[in-house]
PDB file of all heavy atoms in Angstrom:
ATOM      1  N   GLY Z   7     -45.228   4.192 111.649  1.00  0.00           N
ATOM      2  CA  GLY Z   7     -44.736   2.970 112.211  1.00  0.00           C
ATOM      3  C   GLY Z   7     -44.130   2.110 111.150  1.00  0.00           C
ATOM      4  O   GLY Z   7     -44.285   2.256 109.923  1.00  0.00           O
ATOM      5  N   GLY Z   8     -43.257   1.137 111.538  1.00  0.00           N
ATOM      6  CA  GLY Z   8     -42.717   0.172 110.553  1.00  0.00           C
ATOM      7  C   GLY Z   8     -41.653  -0.572 111.269  1.00  0.00           C
ATOM      8  O   GLY Z   8     -41.561  -0.765 112.446  1.00  0.00           O
ATOM      9  N   LEU Z   9     -40.816  -1.250 110.482  1.00  0.00           N
ATOM     10  CA  LEU Z   9     -39.793  -2.107 110.917  1.00  0.00           C
ATOM     11  C   LEU Z   9     -38.367  -1.370 110.771  1.00  0.00           C
ATOM     12  O   LEU Z   9     -38.091  -0.712 109.776  1.00  0.00           O
ATOM     13  CB  LEU Z   9     -39.703  -3.361 110.030  1.00  0.00           C
ATOM     14  CG  LEU Z   9     -38.519  -4.353 110.328  1.00  0.00           C
ATOM     15  CD1 LEU Z   9     -38.620  -4.841 111.725  1.00  0.00           C
ATOM     16  CD2 LEU Z   9     -38.480  -5.423 109.277  1.00  0.00           C
ATOM     17  N   VAL Z  10     -37.593  -1.346 111.883  1.00  0.00           N
ATOM     18  CA  VAL Z  10     -36.345  -0.747 111.797  1.00  0.00           C
ATOM     19  C   VAL Z  10     -35.352  -1.516 112.675  1.00  0.00           C
ATOM     20  O   VAL Z  10     -35.748  -2.215 113.652  1.00  0.00           O
ATOM     21  CB  VAL Z  10     -36.514   0.812 112.437  1.00  0.00           C
ATOM     22  CG1 VAL Z  10     -36.894   0.649 113.996  1.00  0.00           C
ATOM     23  CG2 VAL Z  10     -35.176   1.501 112.337  1.00  0.00           C
ATOM     24  N   GLN Z  11     -34.055  -1.445 112.295  1.00  0.00           N
ATOM     25  CA  GLN Z  11     -33.026  -2.141 113.048  1.00  0.00           C
ATOM     26  C   GLN Z  11     -32.670  -1.411 114.369  1.00  0.00           C
ATOM     27  O   GLN Z  11     -32.841  -0.165 114.477  1.00  0.00           O
ATOM     28  CB  GLN Z  11     -31.746  -2.244 112.207  1.00  0.00           C
ATOM     29  CG  GLN Z  11     -31.962  -3.174 110.989  1.00  0.00           C
ATOM     30  CD  GLN Z  11     -30.632  -3.319 110.300  1.00  0.00           C
ATOM     31  OE1 GLN Z  11     -29.828  -4.173 110.620  1.00  0.00           O
ATOM     32  NE2 GLN Z  11     -30.350  -2.626 109.228  1.00  0.00           N
ATOM     33  N   ALA Z  12     -32.182  -2.133 115.333  1.00  0.00           N
ATOM     34  CA  ALA Z  12     -31.785  -1.540 116.594  1.00  0.00           C
ATOM     35  C   ALA Z  12     -30.702  -0.503 116.291  1.00  0.00           C
ATOM     36  O   ALA Z  12     -29.866  -0.672 115.514  1.00  0.00           O
ATOM     37  CB  ALA Z  12     -31.160  -2.642 117.510  1.00  0.00           C
ATOM     38  N   GLY Z  13     -30.877   0.624 117.012  1.00  0.00           N
ATOM     39  CA  GLY Z  13     -30.019   1.791 116.838  1.00  0.00           C
ATOM     40  C   GLY Z  13     -30.518   2.765 115.809  1.00  0.00           C
ATOM     41  O   GLY Z  13     -29.891   3.846 115.704  1.00  0.00           O
ATOM     42  N   GLY Z  14     -31.541   2.375 115.063  1.00  0.00           N
ATOM     43  CA  GLY Z  14     -32.113   3.248 114.100  1.00  0.00           C
ATOM     44  C   GLY Z  14     -33.052   4.242 114.626  1.00  0.00           C
ATOM     45  O   GLY Z  14     -33.314   4.324 115.857  1.00  0.00           O
ATOM     46  N   SER Z  15     -33.709   5.029 113.723  1.00  0.00           N
ATOM     47  CA  SER Z  15     -34.610   6.046 114.076  1.00  0.00           C
ATOM     48  C   SER Z  15     -36.000   5.959 113.379  1.00  0.00           C
ATOM     49  O   SER Z  15     -35.965   5.371 112.279  1.00  0.00           O
ATOM     50  CB  SER Z  15     -34.078   7.448 113.905  1.00  0.00           C
ATOM     51  OG  SER Z  15     -32.884   7.645 114.676  1.00  0.00           O
ATOM     52  N   LEU Z  16     -37.037   6.421 113.994  1.00  0.00           N
ATOM     53  CA  LEU Z  16     -38.332   6.419 113.368  1.00  0.00           C
ATOM     54  C   LEU Z  16     -39.107   7.588 113.944  1.00  0.00           C
ATOM     55  O   LEU Z  16     -38.917   7.953 115.057  1.00  0.00           O
ATOM     56  CB  LEU Z  16     -39.047   5.098 113.748  1.00  0.00           C
ATOM     57  CG  LEU Z  16     -40.090   4.603 112.756  1.00  0.00           C
ATOM     58  CD1 LEU Z  16     -39.493   4.270 111.415  1.00  0.00           C
ATOM     59  CD2 LEU Z  16     -40.662   3.271 113.325  1.00  0.00           C
ATOM     60  N   ARG Z  17     -39.863   8.167 113.098  1.00  0.00           N
ATOM     61  CA  ARG Z  17     -40.717   9.270 113.444  1.00  0.00           C
ATOM     62  C   ARG Z  17     -42.156   8.999 113.329  1.00  0.00           C
ATOM     63  O   ARG Z  17     -42.625   8.635 112.180  1.00  0.00           O
ATOM     64  CB  ARG Z  17     -40.372  10.548 112.670  1.00  0.00           C
ATOM     65  CG  ARG Z  17     -41.083  11.849 113.154  1.00  0.00           C
ATOM     66  CD  ARG Z  17     -40.649  13.039 112.337  1.00  0.00           C
ATOM     67  NE  ARG Z  17     -41.220  14.244 112.788  1.00  0.00           N
ATOM     68  CZ  ARG Z  17     -40.757  15.046 113.795  1.00  0.00           C
ATOM     69  NH1 ARG Z  17     -39.667  14.674 114.332  1.00  0.00           N
ATOM     70  NH2 ARG Z  17     -41.407  16.139 114.060  1.00  0.00           N
ATOM     71  N   LEU Z  18     -42.994   9.095 114.360  1.00  0.00           N
ATOM     72  CA  LEU Z  18     -44.386   8.739 114.316  1.00  0.00           C
ATOM     73  C   LEU Z  18     -45.176  10.117 114.284  1.00  0.00           C
ATOM     74  O   LEU Z  18     -44.658  11.124 114.812  1.00  0.00           O
ATOM     75  CB  LEU Z  18     -44.798   7.996 115.477  1.00  0.00           C
ATOM     76  CG  LEU Z  18     -44.066   6.674 115.849  1.00  0.00           C
ATOM     77  CD1 LEU Z  18     -44.738   6.045 117.009  1.00  0.00           C
ATOM     78  CD2 LEU Z  18     -44.187   5.801 114.584  1.00  0.00           C
ATOM     79  N   SER Z  19     -46.246  10.083 113.650  1.00  0.00           N
ATOM     80  CA  SER Z  19     -47.113  11.339 113.534  1.00  0.00           C
ATOM     81  C   SER Z  19     -48.516  10.998 113.972  1.00  0.00           C
ATOM     82  O   SER Z  19     -49.006   9.899 113.744  1.00  0.00           O
ATOM     83  CB  SER Z  19     -47.072  11.834 112.205  1.00  0.00           C
ATOM     84  OG  SER Z  19     -47.892  13.014 111.997  1.00  0.00           O
ATOM     85  N   CYS Z  20     -49.211  11.932 114.591  1.00  0.00           N
ATOM     86  CA  CYS Z  20     -50.528  11.747 115.027  1.00  0.00           C
ATOM     87  C   CYS Z  20     -51.326  12.948 114.461  1.00  0.00           C
ATOM     88  O   CYS Z  20     -51.042  14.134 114.837  1.00  0.00           O
ATOM     89  CB  CYS Z  20     -50.672  11.780 116.536  1.00  0.00           C
ATOM     90  SG  CYS Z  20     -52.357  11.682 117.185  1.00  0.00           S
ATOM     91  N   ALA Z  21     -52.290  12.694 113.505  1.00  0.00           N
ATOM     92  CA  ALA Z  21     -53.015  13.696 112.909  1.00  0.00           C
ATOM     93  C   ALA Z  21     -54.358  13.790 113.764  1.00  0.00           C
ATOM     94  O   ALA Z  21     -54.997  12.816 113.970  1.00  0.00           O
ATOM     95  CB  ALA Z  21     -53.305  13.438 111.487  1.00  0.00           C
ATOM     96  N   ALA Z  22     -54.697  15.008 114.149  1.00  0.00           N
ATOM     97  CA  ALA Z  22     -55.977  15.234 114.956  1.00  0.00           C
ATOM     98  C   ALA Z  22     -56.969  16.026 114.261  1.00  0.00           C
ATOM     99  O   ALA Z  22     -56.603  16.986 113.462  1.00  0.00           O
ATOM    100  CB  ALA Z  22     -55.596  15.781 116.307  1.00  0.00           C
ATOM    101  N   SER Z  23     -58.160  15.754 114.444  1.00  0.00           N
ATOM    102  CA  SER Z  23     -59.256  16.579 113.868  1.00  0.00           C
ATOM    103  C   SER Z  23     -60.168  16.972 115.086  1.00  0.00           C
ATOM    104  O   SER Z  23     -60.388  16.181 115.983  1.00  0.00           O
ATOM    105  CB  SER Z  23     -60.053  15.851 112.795  1.00  0.00           C
ATOM    106  OG  SER Z  23     -60.589  14.717 113.385  1.00  0.00           O
ATOM    107  N   GLY Z  24     -60.686  18.163 114.985  1.00  0.00           N
ATOM    108  CA  GLY Z  24     -61.492  18.650 115.944  1.00  0.00           C
ATOM    109  C   GLY Z  24     -61.207  20.061 116.294  1.00  0.00           C
ATOM    110  O   GLY Z  24     -60.107  20.427 116.289  1.00  0.00           O
ATOM    111  N   ARG Z  25     -62.298  20.859 116.665  1.00  0.00           N
ATOM    112  CA  ARG Z  25     -62.173  22.183 116.849  1.00  0.00           C
ATOM    113  C   ARG Z  25     -61.328  22.599 118.091  1.00  0.00           C
ATOM    114  O   ARG Z  25     -60.816  23.715 118.161  1.00  0.00           O
ATOM    115  CB  ARG Z  25     -63.574  22.909 116.955  1.00  0.00           C
ATOM    116  CG  ARG Z  25     -64.278  22.859 115.634  1.00  0.00           C
ATOM    117  CD  ARG Z  25     -65.745  23.318 115.775  1.00  0.00           C
ATOM    118  NE  ARG Z  25     -66.433  22.364 116.560  1.00  0.00           N
ATOM    119  CZ  ARG Z  25     -67.789  22.538 116.844  1.00  0.00           C
ATOM    120  NH1 ARG Z  25     -68.422  23.631 116.558  1.00  0.00           N
ATOM    121  NH2 ARG Z  25     -68.398  21.552 117.514  1.00  0.00           N
ATOM    122  N   THR Z  26     -61.209  21.682 119.097  1.00  0.00           N
ATOM    123  CA  THR Z  26     -60.529  22.019 120.322  1.00  0.00           C
ATOM    124  C   THR Z  26     -59.180  21.340 120.477  1.00  0.00           C
ATOM    125  O   THR Z  26     -58.626  21.227 121.564  1.00  0.00           O
ATOM    126  CB  THR Z  26     -61.411  21.618 121.512  1.00  0.00           C
ATOM    127  OG1 THR Z  26     -61.665  20.159 121.503  1.00  0.00           O
ATOM    128  CG2 THR Z  26     -62.757  22.353 121.446  1.00  0.00           C
ATOM    129  N   PHE Z  27     -58.595  20.896 119.413  1.00  0.00           N
ATOM    130  CA  PHE Z  27     -57.307  20.146 119.403  1.00  0.00           C
ATOM    131  C   PHE Z  27     -56.244  21.043 120.194  1.00  0.00           C
ATOM    132  O   PHE Z  27     -55.610  20.447 121.058  1.00  0.00           O
ATOM    133  CB  PHE Z  27     -56.775  19.900 117.988  1.00  0.00           C
ATOM    134  CG  PHE Z  27     -55.388  19.444 118.029  1.00  0.00           C
ATOM    135  CD1 PHE Z  27     -55.068  18.140 118.350  1.00  0.00           C
ATOM    136  CD2 PHE Z  27     -54.359  20.323 117.691  1.00  0.00           C
ATOM    137  CE1 PHE Z  27     -53.779  17.701 118.294  1.00  0.00           C
ATOM    138  CE2 PHE Z  27     -53.002  19.879 117.642  1.00  0.00           C
ATOM    139  CZ  PHE Z  27     -52.738  18.555 117.954  1.00  0.00           C
ATOM    140  N   SER Z  28     -56.112  22.262 119.891  1.00  0.00           N
ATOM    141  CA  SER Z  28     -55.026  23.082 120.555  1.00  0.00           C
ATOM    142  C   SER Z  28     -55.307  23.200 122.106  1.00  0.00           C
ATOM    143  O   SER Z  28     -54.367  23.582 122.823  1.00  0.00           O
ATOM    144  CB  SER Z  28     -54.979  24.429 119.964  1.00  0.00           C
ATOM    145  OG  SER Z  28     -56.186  25.194 120.111  1.00  0.00           O
ATOM    146  N   ASN Z  29     -56.461  22.920 122.550  1.00  0.00           N
ATOM    147  CA  ASN Z  29     -56.661  23.037 123.999  1.00  0.00           C
ATOM    148  C   ASN Z  29     -56.512  21.657 124.843  1.00  0.00           C
ATOM    149  O   ASN Z  29     -56.700  21.658 125.941  1.00  0.00           O
ATOM    150  CB  ASN Z  29     -58.164  23.485 124.182  1.00  0.00           C
ATOM    151  CG  ASN Z  29     -58.405  24.907 123.767  1.00  0.00           C
ATOM    152  OD1 ASN Z  29     -57.469  25.711 123.853  1.00  0.00           O
ATOM    153  ND2 ASN Z  29     -59.648  25.154 123.239  1.00  0.00           N
ATOM    154  N   HIS Z  30     -56.056  20.608 124.113  1.00  0.00           N
ATOM    155  CA  HIS Z  30     -55.860  19.391 124.689  1.00  0.00           C
ATOM    156  C   HIS Z  30     -54.457  18.981 124.911  1.00  0.00           C
ATOM    157  O   HIS Z  30     -53.510  19.324 124.194  1.00  0.00           O
ATOM    158  CB  HIS Z  30     -56.425  18.332 123.813  1.00  0.00           C
ATOM    159  CG  HIS Z  30     -57.964  18.210 123.801  1.00  0.00           C
ATOM    160  ND1 HIS Z  30     -58.682  19.099 123.249  1.00  0.00           N
ATOM    161  CD2 HIS Z  30     -58.801  17.311 124.545  1.00  0.00           C
ATOM    162  CE1 HIS Z  30     -60.053  18.795 123.444  1.00  0.00           C
ATOM    163  NE2 HIS Z  30     -60.001  17.687 124.140  1.00  0.00           N
ATOM    164  N   ALA Z  31     -54.196  18.381 126.079  1.00  0.00           N
ATOM    165  CA  ALA Z  31     -52.957  17.722 126.339  1.00  0.00           C
ATOM    166  C   ALA Z  31     -52.837  16.550 125.445  1.00  0.00           C
ATOM    167  O   ALA Z  31     -53.748  15.838 125.236  1.00  0.00           O
ATOM    168  CB  ALA Z  31     -52.738  17.369 127.767  1.00  0.00           C
ATOM    169  N   MET Z  32     -51.631  16.199 125.002  1.00  0.00           N
ATOM    170  CA  MET Z  32     -51.443  15.087 124.131  1.00  0.00           C
ATOM    171  C   MET Z  32     -50.358  14.079 124.662  1.00  0.00           C
ATOM    172  O   MET Z  32     -49.512  14.558 125.357  1.00  0.00           O
ATOM    173  CB  MET Z  32     -50.983  15.502 122.712  1.00  0.00           C
ATOM    174  CG  MET Z  32     -51.934  16.493 122.023  1.00  0.00           C
ATOM    175  SD  MET Z  32     -53.534  15.728 121.566  1.00  0.00           S
ATOM    176  CE  MET Z  32     -53.038  14.500 120.466  1.00  0.00           C
ATOM    177  N   GLY Z  33     -50.558  12.888 124.286  1.00  0.00           N
ATOM    178  CA  GLY Z  33     -49.594  11.922 124.799  1.00  0.00           C
ATOM    179  C   GLY Z  33     -49.394  10.659 123.934  1.00  0.00           C
ATOM    180  O   GLY Z  33     -50.249  10.501 123.061  1.00  0.00           O
ATOM    181  N   TRP Z  34     -48.287   9.986 124.108  1.00  0.00           N
ATOM    182  CA  TRP Z  34     -48.096   8.749 123.407  1.00  0.00           C
ATOM    183  C   TRP Z  34     -47.890   7.676 124.389  1.00  0.00           C
ATOM    184  O   TRP Z  34     -47.233   7.772 125.425  1.00  0.00           O
ATOM    185  CB  TRP Z  34     -46.735   8.838 122.484  1.00  0.00           C
ATOM    186  CG  TRP Z  34     -46.822   9.668 121.350  1.00  0.00           C
ATOM    187  CD1 TRP Z  34     -46.634  11.007 121.160  1.00  0.00           C
ATOM    188  CD2 TRP Z  34     -47.304   9.243 120.083  1.00  0.00           C
ATOM    189  NE1 TRP Z  34     -46.714  11.441 119.865  1.00  0.00           N
ATOM    190  CE2 TRP Z  34     -47.196  10.310 119.147  1.00  0.00           C
ATOM    191  CE3 TRP Z  34     -47.730   7.977 119.601  1.00  0.00           C
ATOM    192  CZ2 TRP Z  34     -47.587  10.203 117.822  1.00  0.00           C
ATOM    193  CZ3 TRP Z  34     -48.117   7.857 118.264  1.00  0.00           C
ATOM    194  CH2 TRP Z  34     -48.012   8.993 117.339  1.00  0.00           C
ATOM    195  N   PHE Z  35     -48.539   6.566 124.096  1.00  0.00           N
ATOM    196  CA  PHE Z  35     -48.491   5.328 124.968  1.00  0.00           C
ATOM    197  C   PHE Z  35     -48.113   4.163 124.035  1.00  0.00           C
ATOM    198  O   PHE Z  35     -48.216   4.253 122.807  1.00  0.00           O
ATOM    199  CB  PHE Z  35     -49.783   5.035 125.602  1.00  0.00           C
ATOM    200  CG  PHE Z  35     -50.168   6.081 126.692  1.00  0.00           C
ATOM    201  CD1 PHE Z  35     -50.657   7.280 126.305  1.00  0.00           C
ATOM    202  CD2 PHE Z  35     -49.944   5.813 127.987  1.00  0.00           C
ATOM    203  CE1 PHE Z  35     -51.045   8.221 127.257  1.00  0.00           C
ATOM    204  CE2 PHE Z  35     -50.341   6.795 128.993  1.00  0.00           C
ATOM    205  CZ  PHE Z  35     -50.892   7.926 128.633  1.00  0.00           C
ATOM    206  N   ARG Z  36     -47.661   3.143 124.581  1.00  0.00           N
ATOM    207  CA  ARG Z  36     -47.317   1.891 123.830  1.00  0.00           C
ATOM    208  C   ARG Z  36     -47.685   0.658 124.543  1.00  0.00           C
ATOM    209  O   ARG Z  36     -47.734   0.663 125.754  1.00  0.00           O
ATOM    210  CB  ARG Z  36     -45.853   1.922 123.423  1.00  0.00           C
ATOM    211  CG  ARG Z  36     -44.855   1.708 124.566  1.00  0.00           C
ATOM    212  CD  ARG Z  36     -43.477   1.849 124.073  1.00  0.00           C
ATOM    213  NE  ARG Z  36     -42.475   1.599 125.133  1.00  0.00           N
ATOM    214  CZ  ARG Z  36     -41.170   1.784 125.018  1.00  0.00           C
ATOM    215  NH1 ARG Z  36     -40.649   2.151 123.814  1.00  0.00           N
ATOM    216  NH2 ARG Z  36     -40.409   1.482 126.086  1.00  0.00           N
ATOM    217  N   GLN Z  37     -47.948  -0.373 123.801  1.00  0.00           N
ATOM    218  CA  GLN Z  37     -48.308  -1.657 124.475  1.00  0.00           C
ATOM    219  C   GLN Z  37     -47.750  -2.760 123.590  1.00  0.00           C
ATOM    220  O   GLN Z  37     -48.049  -2.905 122.429  1.00  0.00           O
ATOM    221  CB  GLN Z  37     -49.851  -1.717 124.557  1.00  0.00           C
ATOM    222  CG  GLN Z  37     -50.215  -3.074 125.333  1.00  0.00           C
ATOM    223  CD  GLN Z  37     -51.703  -3.003 125.743  1.00  0.00           C
ATOM    224  OE1 GLN Z  37     -52.573  -2.372 125.051  1.00  0.00           O
ATOM    225  NE2 GLN Z  37     -51.996  -3.601 126.773  1.00  0.00           N
ATOM    226  N   ALA Z  38     -46.884  -3.510 124.175  1.00  0.00           N
ATOM    227  CA  ALA Z  38     -46.321  -4.743 123.586  1.00  0.00           C
ATOM    228  C   ALA Z  38     -47.210  -5.995 123.894  1.00  0.00           C
ATOM    229  O   ALA Z  38     -47.968  -5.990 124.911  1.00  0.00           O
ATOM    230  CB  ALA Z  38     -44.887  -5.109 124.046  1.00  0.00           C
ATOM    231  N   PRO Z  39     -47.183  -6.974 123.036  1.00  0.00           N
ATOM    232  CA  PRO Z  39     -48.047  -8.173 123.240  1.00  0.00           C
ATOM    233  C   PRO Z  39     -47.785  -8.743 124.627  1.00  0.00           C
ATOM    234  O   PRO Z  39     -46.678  -9.050 125.016  1.00  0.00           O
ATOM    235  CB  PRO Z  39     -47.585  -9.154 122.130  1.00  0.00           C
ATOM    236  CG  PRO Z  39     -47.157  -8.238 121.050  1.00  0.00           C
ATOM    237  CD  PRO Z  39     -46.504  -7.093 121.744  1.00  0.00           C
ATOM    238  N   GLY Z  40     -48.820  -9.007 125.412  1.00  0.00           N
ATOM    239  CA  GLY Z  40     -48.767  -9.594 126.741  1.00  0.00           C
ATOM    240  C   GLY Z  40     -48.204  -8.658 127.762  1.00  0.00           C
ATOM    241  O   GLY Z  40     -48.013  -9.037 128.929  1.00  0.00           O
ATOM    242  N   LYS Z  41     -48.036  -7.324 127.466  1.00  0.00           N
ATOM    243  CA  LYS Z  41     -47.563  -6.420 128.350  1.00  0.00           C
ATOM    244  C   LYS Z  41     -48.560  -5.312 128.699  1.00  0.00           C
ATOM    245  O   LYS Z  41     -49.455  -5.128 127.866  1.00  0.00           O
ATOM    246  CB  LYS Z  41     -46.217  -5.742 127.886  1.00  0.00           C
ATOM    247  CG  LYS Z  41     -45.074  -6.751 127.623  1.00  0.00           C
ATOM    248  CD  LYS Z  41     -44.590  -7.410 128.967  1.00  0.00           C
ATOM    249  CE  LYS Z  41     -43.450  -8.326 128.673  1.00  0.00           C
ATOM    250  NZ  LYS Z  41     -42.231  -7.692 128.161  1.00  0.00           N
ATOM    251  N   GLU Z  42     -48.352  -4.585 129.777  1.00  0.00           N
ATOM    252  CA  GLU Z  42     -49.262  -3.479 130.174  1.00  0.00           C
ATOM    253  C   GLU Z  42     -48.914  -2.326 129.284  1.00  0.00           C
ATOM    254  O   GLU Z  42     -47.865  -2.115 128.725  1.00  0.00           O
ATOM    255  CB  GLU Z  42     -49.065  -3.117 131.568  1.00  0.00           C
ATOM    256  CG  GLU Z  42     -49.436  -4.230 132.573  1.00  0.00           C
ATOM    257  CD  GLU Z  42     -49.256  -3.816 134.012  1.00  0.00           C
ATOM    258  OE1 GLU Z  42     -48.514  -2.776 134.301  1.00  0.00           O
ATOM    259  OE2 GLU Z  42     -49.795  -4.438 134.927  1.00  0.00           O
ATOM    260  N   ARG Z  43     -49.937  -1.419 129.158  1.00  0.00           N
ATOM    261  CA  ARG Z  43     -49.772  -0.157 128.394  1.00  0.00           C
ATOM    262  C   ARG Z  43     -48.764   0.648 129.126  1.00  0.00           C
ATOM    263  O   ARG Z  43     -48.773   0.723 130.402  1.00  0.00           O
ATOM    264  CB  ARG Z  43     -51.109   0.510 128.297  1.00  0.00           C
ATOM    265  CG  ARG Z  43     -50.962   1.769 127.448  1.00  0.00           C
ATOM    266  CD  ARG Z  43     -52.372   2.421 127.380  1.00  0.00           C
ATOM    267  NE  ARG Z  43     -52.738   2.926 128.672  1.00  0.00           N
ATOM    268  CZ  ARG Z  43     -53.953   3.515 129.025  1.00  0.00           C
ATOM    269  NH1 ARG Z  43     -54.817   3.645 127.971  1.00  0.00           N
ATOM    270  NH2 ARG Z  43     -54.174   3.922 130.205  1.00  0.00           N
ATOM    271  N   GLU Z  44     -47.834   1.322 128.407  1.00  0.00           N
ATOM    272  CA  GLU Z  44     -46.782   1.964 129.053  1.00  0.00           C
ATOM    273  C   GLU Z  44     -46.763   3.509 128.510  1.00  0.00           C
ATOM    274  O   GLU Z  44     -46.974   3.718 127.379  1.00  0.00           O
ATOM    275  CB  GLU Z  44     -45.379   1.343 128.656  1.00  0.00           C
ATOM    276  CG  GLU Z  44     -44.227   2.121 129.264  1.00  0.00           C
ATOM    277  CD  GLU Z  44     -42.947   1.534 128.822  1.00  0.00           C
ATOM    278  OE1 GLU Z  44     -42.931   0.731 127.763  1.00  0.00           O
ATOM    279  OE2 GLU Z  44     -41.802   1.792 129.433  1.00  0.00           O
ATOM    280  N   PHE Z  45     -46.566   4.394 129.424  1.00  0.00           N
ATOM    281  CA  PHE Z  45     -46.418   5.797 129.159  1.00  0.00           C
ATOM    282  C   PHE Z  45     -45.206   6.077 128.396  1.00  0.00           C
ATOM    283  O   PHE Z  45     -44.073   5.706 128.897  1.00  0.00           O
ATOM    284  CB  PHE Z  45     -46.566   6.661 130.377  1.00  0.00           C
ATOM    285  CG  PHE Z  45     -46.336   8.091 130.161  1.00  0.00           C
ATOM    286  CD1 PHE Z  45     -47.229   8.903 129.530  1.00  0.00           C
ATOM    287  CD2 PHE Z  45     -45.159   8.702 130.712  1.00  0.00           C
ATOM    288  CE1 PHE Z  45     -46.940  10.245 129.310  1.00  0.00           C
ATOM    289  CE2 PHE Z  45     -44.850  10.015 130.517  1.00  0.00           C
ATOM    290  CZ  PHE Z  45     -45.744  10.783 129.845  1.00  0.00           C
ATOM    291  N   VAL Z  46     -45.228   6.789 127.324  1.00  0.00           N
ATOM    292  CA  VAL Z  46     -44.045   7.202 126.549  1.00  0.00           C
ATOM    293  C   VAL Z  46     -43.750   8.636 126.745  1.00  0.00           C
ATOM    294  O   VAL Z  46     -42.639   8.998 127.016  1.00  0.00           O
ATOM    295  CB  VAL Z  46     -44.271   6.848 125.023  1.00  0.00           C
ATOM    296  CG1 VAL Z  46     -43.102   7.308 124.213  1.00  0.00           C
ATOM    297  CG2 VAL Z  46     -44.438   5.403 124.870  1.00  0.00           C
ATOM    298  N   GLY Z  47     -44.696   9.492 126.453  1.00  0.00           N
ATOM    299  CA  GLY Z  47     -44.404  10.930 126.653  1.00  0.00           C
ATOM    300  C   GLY Z  47     -45.676  11.719 126.505  1.00  0.00           C
ATOM    301  O   GLY Z  47     -46.782  11.210 126.049  1.00  0.00           O
ATOM    302  N   SER Z  48     -45.640  12.930 126.976  1.00  0.00           N
ATOM    303  CA  SER Z  48     -46.789  13.852 126.889  1.00  0.00           C
ATOM    304  C   SER Z  48     -46.365  15.229 126.700  1.00  0.00           C
ATOM    305  O   SER Z  48     -45.196  15.611 126.839  1.00  0.00           O
ATOM    306  CB  SER Z  48     -47.679  13.752 128.156  1.00  0.00           C
ATOM    307  OG  SER Z  48     -46.879  14.329 129.288  1.00  0.00           O
ATOM    308  N   ILE Z  49     -47.334  16.101 126.168  1.00  0.00           N
ATOM    309  CA  ILE Z  49     -46.979  17.378 125.870  1.00  0.00           C
ATOM    310  C   ILE Z  49     -48.246  18.290 126.196  1.00  0.00           C
ATOM    311  O   ILE Z  49     -49.291  17.904 125.905  1.00  0.00           O
ATOM    312  CB  ILE Z  49     -46.553  17.626 124.451  1.00  0.00           C
ATOM    313  CG1 ILE Z  49     -46.105  19.103 124.234  1.00  0.00           C
ATOM    314  CG2 ILE Z  49     -47.656  17.261 123.456  1.00  0.00           C
ATOM    315  CD1 ILE Z  49     -45.328  19.232 122.819  1.00  0.00           C
TER     316      ILE Z  49
END
């Protein structure tokens, strides 16, 4: 995460630990101040 100008790009990474990682569905969610949690994507 970080600060970027509109129109720019950013790449987030999620490092997982656990013996069953490959058996889990994964997702990204986001929440802005004062807003509800929002679904971003899943795999």
Side-chain angles (χ1 to χ4, degrees):
L9 176 65
V10 64
Q11 294 186 80
S15 299
L16 207 59
R17 186 178 182 86
L18 305 183
S19 180
C20 175
S23 62
R25 292 172 291 178
T26 60
F27 170 77
S28 63
N29 294 324
H30 284 76
M32 302 294 297
W34 286 94
F35 294 78
R36 66 186 184 185
Q37 186 166 25
K41 300 294 182 63
E42 296 181 343
R43 185 181 64 185
E44 178 185 18
F45 170 72
V46 175
S48 66
I49 186 167

